[in-house]
Amino acid sequence: MKAMMLTGIRKMEMKHVPEPLISDDHDVKIRMDVVGVCGSDIHYYQQGKIGSQVVQYPFTVGHEGAGTVVETGPTVTRVKPGDRIAIEPAMPCHECDQCLAGRHHTCRKLKFLGCPGQAEGCLSEYLVMPETSCFPISHRLTFDEAAISEPLAIGIYAVRQSIPMPNSSIAVLGSGPIGMSVMLAAKAAGCLKVYMTDKLDERLLCVKQAGADWTGNVDKVDVVSLIHHQKPLMLDAVFECCGKQEAFDQAIELLKPGGKLILVGIPEFDHWQVPADVARRKEITIQNIRRQVDCVEPALEYLSNGTIKVTAMATHRFAFKDTPSAFELVAGYRDGVMKAMIDFRI
Ligand SMILES: [Zn+2]
Ligand SMILES: [Zn+2]
């Protein structure tokens, strides 16, 4: 089968590799239909690593996938050949202390699709996953929506780890797909007002149309004083969704005393700088978010009952063979790209 593999920094090639086989009774073989390009894929593409996770070439990335079941192991009950599914990229061991505590996302032996040293990603024609990673989707859902359920699940999880949303006012700093997912999840959970920032006007327009109450371009306006003007008592929670120190600093300023800062973005540096004095005086709580756990089903439910709409997130579409162009586009933040979808059907 064909697999799109990273072969070096900013290098990618289509390779012929053996089709994966069902090796466990609980395995499911999937033909890929759509894969969303994620910011973390771009980190591996451009830097060859995220923190301590370093790519050994050649390597296939991709973890936001949707496809069709083509074969199942003998004990599989969740899905059958022909089923359209969303793929949960995490493959936890189900046995360690973290798994037993319900924290499958921090499993000690976690294998995650397209994560170096763990599992090859889903930018390939076929994939084998345990049935616990396969979520059948309703006929109302498109493969795009199924693939986007992965980042949406992270938004839902981040919101669940924050504060009660009804009547809250929050900021989401960074309006990429994850920031947008946080906003959509917050709104669906009853958040009153979402202030969003970014450096790209196209993204701000996109999230505004999708439901953000206020948007500001950090390169053009003083977002902290503008939000302060509208909301003198400041905000209940701020979600950092771009991995930038300046956003972290803005978050500390934007929070009211007792507020919560939720770190969702992936920084390219090793250490956050916390302003000790103001963070202490305001008694700010800082919550880190590691992907998500148990939020794929809620994401699919929100999408299939229409509470959350994500089609606007899929701004660009590429054939599988053109994946390198998709990565270049996303890496360069070109053409107002929010999310590029790799479509195996075209
Ligand atoms: Zn992702
Ligand atoms: Zn485990």
Side-chain angles (χ1 to χ4, degrees):
M1 68 166 184
K2 290 179 196 155
M4 189 57 81
M5 304 189 88
L6 297 183
T7 52
I9 298 286
R10 241 174 156 145
K11 284 195 194 127
M12 194 176 241
E13 273 173 52
M14 188 74 93
K15 296 215 181 255
H16 286 271
V17 299
E19 274 186 31
L21 300 170
I22 287 191
S23 59
D24 184 280
D25 287 354
H26 296 284
D27 279 351
V28 175
K29 186 169 171 183
I30 304 150
R31 190 186 66 232
M32 297 309 302
D33 285 295
V34 166
V35 173
V37 178
C38 174
S40 64
D41 300 326
I42 299 298
H43 283 283
Y44 291 128
Y45 175 67
Q46 286 193 298
Q47 282 94 38
K49 60 169 191 163
I50 295 179
S52 56
Q53 275 155 339
V54 182
V55 175
Q56 302 288 322
Y57 301 108
F59 181 68
T60 307
V61 290
H63 58 270
E64 298 181 0
T68 306
V69 174
V70 291
E71 190 185 341
T72 56
T75 61
V76 170
T77 54
R78 254 172 105 119
V79 292
K80 58 182 186 315
D83 282 356
R84 301 158 72 240
I85 61 166
I87 298 164
E88 146 75 89
M91 294 169 273
C93 76
H94 301 288
E95 287 170 356
C96 71
D97 63 320
Q98 296 293 302
C99 284
L100 295 178
R103 296 183 50 89
H104 299 90
H105 59 313
T106 50
C107 168
R108 308 271 181 181
K109 294 181 191 160
L110 185 67
K111 286 191 189 152
F112 192 91
L113 270 191
C115 191
Q118 298 181 9
E120 296 281 331
C122 59
L123 278 168
S124 57
E125 290 177 296
Y126 293 94
L127 184 70
V128 167
M129 292 293 281
E131 64 174 319
T132 44
S133 284
C134 301
F135 291 81
I137 56 170
S138 96
H139 67 275
R140 290 193 297 277
L141 284 197
T142 62
F143 281 120
D144 276 11
E145 290 172 305
I148 292 174
S149 71
E150 199 273 339
L152 179 60
I154 295 171
I156 293 169
Y157 177 69
V159 166
R160 286 186 177 181
Q161 296 301 104
S162 63
I163 57 166
M165 281 291 126
N167 297 316
S168 66
S169 291
I170 67 167
V172 178
L173 310 181
S175 301
I178 293 292
M180 181 168 169
S181 295
V182 168
M183 180 274 288
L184 292 168
K187 281 281 173 184
C191 179
L192 203 60
K193 233 168 171 167
V194 183
Y195 298 84
M196 292 189 79
T197 66
D198 205 275
K199 291 173 178 242
L200 301 174
D201 287 330
E202 297 99 324
R203 289 193 164 182
L204 293 171
L205 185 63
C206 183
V207 295
K208 186 119 198 215
Q209 286 169 345
D213 298 283
W214 183 95
T215 58
N217 186 323
V218 291
D219 282 344
K220 296 181 180 170
V221 295
D222 182 346
V223 294
V224 172
S225 67
L226 287 175
I227 295 173
H228 183 234
H229 189 70
Q230 291 208 9
K231 195 82 190 151
L233 297 181
M234 305 309 265
L235 307 175
D236 304 295
V238 177
F239 295 77
E240 201 290 334
C241 295
C242 52
K244 297 278 189 287
Q245 183 64 43
E246 66 177 286
F248 186 107
D249 296 339
Q250 288 160 356
I252 298 285
E253 288 189 70
L254 287 169
L255 283 165
K256 63 169 62 165
K260 193 160 182 177
L261 168 55
I262 299 95
L263 300 179
V264 195
I266 303 176
E268 282 175 11
F269 47 81
D270 292 329
H271 298 274
W272 288 110
Q273 290 190 327
V274 183
D277 185 52
V278 61
R280 179 183 62 81
R281 280 188 288 111
K282 283 189 177 178
E283 203 180 45
I284 301 300
T285 300
I286 298 178
Q287 168 78 56
N288 280 277
I289 296 298
R290 176 56 167 163
R291 300 180 182 137
Q292 59 84 25
V293 65
D294 295 336
C295 288
V296 172
E297 272 173 319
L300 292 172
E301 183 57 32
Y302 272 139
L303 292 170
S304 70
N305 68 25
T307 310
I308 289 181
K309 294 182 175 62
V310 292
T311 35
M313 201 186 288
T315 51
H316 292 71
R317 181 171 307 276
F318 292 84
F320 182 38
K321 66 175 171 46
D322 298 326
T323 304
S325 310
F327 273 59
E328 276 299 311
L329 178 88
V330 178
Y333 296 94
R334 290 207 308 268
D335 196 28
V337 64
M338 196 64 157
K339 189 169 279 294
M341 310 303 290
I342 308 300
D343 195 327
F344 290 70
R345 304 163 298 178
I346 58 176

